Amino acid sequence: MADQHEHEHDEHEHDEHDHEHAEAPVTVIGEEPDLSKGTARPITVVGNPVLHRECKEVTVFDADLSALIDDMFVSMYAAEGVGLAANQIGVDAKVFVYDCPDDDNVRHIGHVINPVLEELPAERRLLDDGNEGCLSVPTAYAELPRPNYAAVTGQDKDGNPIRVEGTGFFARCLQHETDHLHGYLYIDRLSKRDRKDALRQMAEGTAKYATVPND
C-alpha cells in the first residue's frame, strides 16, 4: 500500500518539511525490522498474473519464510510504502508486512501470515472515504470508502496465532493487504470510471522505485 502522505507531499511540496514533523508518530506498536538481513526486490504491477489470483496458504514456518519477510520489509521501505503483500514481489504466499500509522499518530509495525479479515457487526461499519494508493498501481490514487476499523487473525513467522486490529489509515492498510492476498487490487473495488482514471494516472506517471515490466 502506498503512503497517502507521499501523495499529499506531491501536491503540497512547499510544506513537506513542516508536514513531516507534524506527523511524526509518538507511539510505536511492534518492532522495527533488521534491514541488514533483507534484499529489495522489484514491485509487480497491475496486469501481472500473480496479483490477480488468490495466494497459497503458508504451511511451512521456516528460515525461508523469515527471509521472505526480511526481503518484504526492505522492498516496502525501498518503495516508500506502508504495507506490502508477498505477491507484490512475485511470491505466491499469504504473507503481508506493514509499517503504517493510524489516525491517532500511532505507528504499527509487523507481519501477518494467512490473514483472515474479521466480519464487522453493522454498528462498527463506519466508512472512511479516504484516498488510497498501491505500490502495484504506481502514482495513482483514488477515493475508496472502507470501514474505519479492521481486525485480522493469522499467524506470525513462527506459526503462532496473532490478531492485529487498527483504526483509520491503518485499518485501510489491513484491508488493502488482505485483499491483495485474495487477488484483489484496490482499483477492483472502484467504479469503472474511477478505475479507468486510476490506470490513466499510472500510465501518465513514473514510479520512483523498481518495478517488474509486464510482458
Side-chain angles (χ1 to χ4, degrees):
M1 182 164 163
D3 184 352
Q4 68 175 3
H5 297 138
E6 285 297 314
H7 179 47
E8 291 167 3
H9 289 166
D10 290 342
E11 294 180 334
H12 306 291
E13 289 182 351
H14 61 279
D15 66 356
E16 180 173 352
H17 186 265
D18 293 337
H19 185 76
E20 285 180 343
H21 284 285
E23 294 293 332
V26 293
T27 305
V28 177
I29 296 177
E31 295 183 7
E32 293 193 25
D34 180 356
L35 300 182
S36 68
K37 293 181 178 180
T39 301
R41 304 194 201 179
I43 305 297
T44 57
V45 296
V46 58
N48 189 307
V50 74
L51 294 175
H52 303 283
R53 61 174 180 258
E54 184 172 355
C55 293
K56 294 177 182 176
E57 292 275 326
V58 174
T59 57
V60 178
F61 299 82
D62 59 5
D64 287 343
L65 178 62
S66 293
L68 170 63
I69 292 170
D70 291 338
D71 284 358
M72 288 175 65
F73 270 114
V74 173
S75 301
M76 178 183 73
Y77 290 131
E80 298 183 354
V82 295
L84 186 76
N87 52 355
Q88 290 185 274
I89 56 169
V91 178
D92 185 3
K94 284 187 175 174
V95 185
F96 73 76
V97 300
Y98 58 86
D99 184 343
C100 183
D102 62 24
D103 290 355
D104 295 320
N105 235 11
V106 176
R107 179 183 172 196
H108 300 261
I109 308 171
H111 66 274
V112 183
I113 298 164
N114 301 325
V116 176
L117 196 63
E118 292 183 358
E119 288 288 332
L120 293 181
E123 65 270 17
R124 296 220 67 168
R125 292 186 60 84
L126 301 174
L127 294 182
D128 168 20
D129 292 333
N131 264 342
E132 193 157 325
C134 179
L135 298 178
S136 293
V137 194
T139 73
Y141 294 85
E143 187 177 281
L144 177 63
R146 287 193 191 262
N148 68 354
Y149 170 84
V152 296
T153 55
Q155 295 156 287
D156 67 13
K157 63 183 177 63
D158 299 313
N160 300 312
I162 56 173
R163 181 178 183 274
V164 181
E165 62 179 343
T167 58
F169 188 56
F170 182 47
R172 181 175 295 276
C173 179
L174 293 174
Q175 295 168 82
H176 180 110
E177 301 308 333
T178 302
D179 272 356
H180 267 304
L181 300 178
H182 287 85
Y184 295 103
L185 298 167
Y186 85 98
I187 58 173
D188 296 328
R189 295 187 176 275
L190 300 175
S191 68
K192 287 184 177 180
R193 184 183 66 181
D194 289 346
R195 186 179 192 276
K196 184 177 180 180
D197 181 65
L199 291 173
R200 177 192 57 77
Q201 291 179 54
M202 175 180 164
E204 293 177 354
T206 303
K208 298 178 182 178
Y209 44 86
T211 60
V212 179
N214 291 330
D215 296 330

